[in-house]
Amino acid sequence: MTGVLAVLAACTPTTTGPMVMRMGPGMSNERFYQIGFRSGPRLNAPQLSERGELDGAFQGDAKPFNSEQWGIAFDGAVTLPLDERLSLHVGLQGEFFLAPVPGYGLYSGLSYYIGSQTVGLAPAFAVRGASDFGLGDTDSTSSLFGMEGTCAFTVHPEPGMSLGLVPFFGVNQSLVNPGSQVTSVYYGAVVAAQISLGEAGKSKLEVSGGYGRARANGSSWNVPIAGVRGGR
């Protein structure tokens, strides 16, 4: 446990995508809260490797699950309906393993649902910021500021079930201070399912999985994506 925490304490922020994943029309008069875990790349990893601040060379596609370039983040989000089709999304993400460790971020975005109760599209746009606040084991402060576009295609084969394909594309400014600023991109797609639980149907379980590609500082690598969130 001590060893794992020591590794995670040096973590730069995990970038999850898609940030906004609207799985259908939703409820026009109630807030929807979600909490769970999602995975994604550490876009600062190539910069840290160049500075000699990783435990060895950057691994890239050779080791996609290497904890210095890929992480699992706690994710909490709330959807606030503005009208029947337009919703505001606000979320918090952070590295979490038994105790809080550095690498936290906030995101916010808007989505608009186009379609019926059985099939539809939900384009969305979000902005985010994240940092380790200089609290890791390295001498650097790693931060990210970016924006992302998504467009979820969803179908609802039966009441209480939503299935979706959600492609996304994000652009970030990846900062490692002092002295390094790089424009990075992260894109890909996930397949997701959201299932209502219980007779009332207000509690929901969401699972997602897919693949992404990250490009930063002249390096590019594959990113396995997985996530599970509960909502109500």
Side-chain angles (χ1 to χ4, degrees):
M1 184 184 302
T2 302
V4 171
L5 289 174
V7 171
L8 290 176
C11 288
T12 60
T14 298
T15 298
T16 61
M19 284 182 280
V20 175
M21 190 161 52
R22 184 167 175 179
M23 296 294 293
M27 298 173 287
S28 61
N29 58 354
E30 293 186 36
R31 296 178 180 180
F32 182 53
Y33 297 89
Q34 291 176 287
I35 188 169
F37 295 90
R38 302 171 72 191
S39 69
R42 305 190 193 281
L43 295 174
N44 301 97
Q47 290 164 274
L48 293 173
S49 177
E50 188 177 73
R51 298 163 66 101
E53 295 186 12
L54 295 185
D55 294 334
F58 177 70
Q59 298 293 321
D61 289 338
K63 293 186 177 180
F65 293 101
N66 186 295
S67 64
E68 293 182 322
Q69 68 185 49
W70 180 87
I72 299 174
F74 159 83
D75 183 79
V78 58
T79 300
L80 300 95
L82 302 179
D83 62 27
E84 290 187 355
R85 295 186 180 273
L86 183 66
S87 290
L88 172 67
H89 305 263
V90 180
L92 167 68
Q93 293 171 343
E95 305 298 333
F96 221 83
F97 187 85
L98 300 182
V101 293
Y104 300 98
L106 296 170
Y107 64 92
S108 181
L110 292 169
S111 67
Y112 189 83
Y113 185 77
I114 305 167
S116 67
Q117 292 291 326
T118 56
V119 62
L121 291 172
F125 176 80
V127 294
R128 74 181 295 253
S131 180
D132 68 359
F133 303 102
L135 300 175
D137 285 347
T138 69
D139 295 329
S140 301
T141 298
S142 297
S143 302
L144 291 165
F145 303 93
M147 59 187 68
E148 180 188 86
T150 65
C151 188
F153 172 70
T154 58
V155 295
H156 315 282
E158 60 183 67
M161 176 180 288
S162 297
L163 304 175
L165 173 65
V166 191
F168 64 92
F169 185 92
V171 179
N172 294 267
Q173 282 298 107
S174 179
L175 312 175
V176 179
N177 292 321
S180 180
Q181 179 172 327
V182 170
T183 299
S184 58
V185 298
Y186 177 42
Y187 56 90
V190 301
V191 175
Q194 195 176 87
I195 304 169
S196 296
L197 304 175
E199 295 182 2
K202 289 188 176 182
S203 298
K204 298 180 185 294
L205 175 66
E206 177 189 282
V207 294
S208 57
Y211 239 79
R213 187 77 178 171
R215 298 181 181 273
N217 203 36
S219 300
S220 62
W221 67 101
N222 291 325
V223 182
I225 302 173
V228 56
R229 298 189 295 185
R232 186 175 177 82

